[in-house]
Amino acid sequence: GQNIDQPTEMTATEGAIVQINCTYQTSGFNGLFWYQQHAGEAPTFLSYNVLDGLEEKGRFSSFLSRSKGYSYLLLKELQMKDSASYLCAVRDAASNTGKLIFGQGTTLQVKP
Amino acid sequence: GAGVSQSPSNKVTEKGKDVELRCDPISGHTALYWYRQSLGQGLEFLIYFQGNSAPDKSGLPSDRFSAERTGGSVSTLTIQRTQQEDSAVYLCASSAGLAETQYFGPGTRLLVL
């Protein structure tokens, strides 16, 4: 089956660092994506990992371990505007469509 | 346009009515996806179009749902005889190919009374 797990909610303080974990069990794997979604808005692309290791992009970094079925999104120097839902998604390799399989999302609240 | 656009942004309908949702993908993107986001749920794949290939309809929840893509660009998602459980945000995404990043539109918020 296809299963992607991430925590439902997290709270962090402005200026701090937060790590959002994602574990997956899918029948195929062709890359892992992180999206940010503010309430009432479209998901926006943050990062993509297909090989093991860390991808850094400004304040955001994403890590992947394919052998462990594990990824995390690291947010540094948190700002109030980072309060949003963070969606972990695996690209399905079995169907040859590139469709994404999403977790339920992690709602992050950044407090002053 | 610069991004994926969808219309209408909001739709309220009565149970049993048909609705049509529209998606304009990013110009030049050959792949188009429809997803559904229900309250408290993750995004759920509905249907995929790629160029002139037959669409992948494996995610459509029932035969009341259908979609088409005309001229390899604009797509419409039709829900016939709407039910209250169809209430959700319907998101469209496009990409330059099936191995490329998907970019999402703002969604259509559908409420079935």
Side-chain angles (χ1 to χ4, degrees), chain B residues 15 54 56 59 67 76 87 93 100 107:
Chain B
K15 177 182 173 181
D56 178 347
T76 55
S87 297
E100 303 298 323

Side-chain angles (χ1 to χ4, degrees), chain A residues 35 37 40 42 91 97-98 100, chain B residues 33 35 37 48 56 102 105 109:
Chain A
Y35 285 84
Q37 187 178 28
R91 182 154 58 199
T97 64
L100 297 177
Chain B
Y33 303 80
Y35 293 87
Q37 188 173 34
Y48 159 78
D56 178 347
Q102 294 176 31
R109 285 152 190 80

Side-chain angles (χ1 to χ4, degrees), chain A residues 38-87:
Chain A
H38 285 99
E41 297 183 11
T44 55
F45 169 73
L46 287 179
S47 69
Y48 168 65
N49 296 70
V50 67
L51 300 177
D52 292 351
L54 188 68
E55 294 283 341
E56 297 186 80
K57 190 185 295 185
R59 294 190 299 115
F60 292 9
S61 303
S62 57
F63 172 83
L64 175 67
S65 169
R66 289 172 295 170
S67 63
K68 295 182 179 179
Y70 168 69
S71 173
Y72 67 72
L73 180 68
L74 193 71
L75 291 74
K76 303 176 186 176
E77 302 169 13
L78 280 173
Q79 302 176 8
M80 298 299 292
K81 67 178 182 180
D82 297 330
S83 294
S85 286
Y86 291 85
L87 313 180

Side-chain angles (χ1 to χ4, degrees), chain B residues 10-113:
Chain B
N10 292 280
K11 177 72 177 178
V12 180
T13 190
E14 294 179 348
K15 177 182 173 181
K17 300 282 190 183
D18 297 352
V19 295
E20 264 192 12
L21 314 179
R22 176 187 168 105
C23 171
D24 277 274
I26 293 172
S27 178
H29 279 192
T30 58
L32 187 147
Y33 303 80
W34 284 97
Y35 293 87
R36 177 168 71 173
Q37 188 173 34
S38 302
L39 194 63
Q41 304 290 321
L43 273 75
E44 170 192 16
F45 167 78
L46 297 177
I47 188 168
Y48 159 78
F49 295 93
Q50 169 67 38
N52 295 321
S53 303
D56 178 347
K57 305 179 182 180
S58 61
L60 294 178
S62 79
D63 59 8
R64 296 185 296 105
F65 288 71
S66 63
E68 62 178 23
R69 188 179 185 192
T70 53
S73 182
V74 171
S75 176
T76 55
L77 176 69
T78 301
I79 309 173
Q80 296 178 309
R81 304 180 303 281
T82 52
Q83 303 293 313
Q84 290 180 332
E85 60 263 28
D86 299 334
S87 297
V89 178
Y90 289 83
L91 291 159
C92 175
S94 71
S95 67
L98 68 87
E100 303 298 323
T101 298
Q102 294 176 31
Y103 295 92
F104 284 83
T108 294
R109 285 152 190 80
L110 175 66
L111 177 61
V112 182
L113 300 177

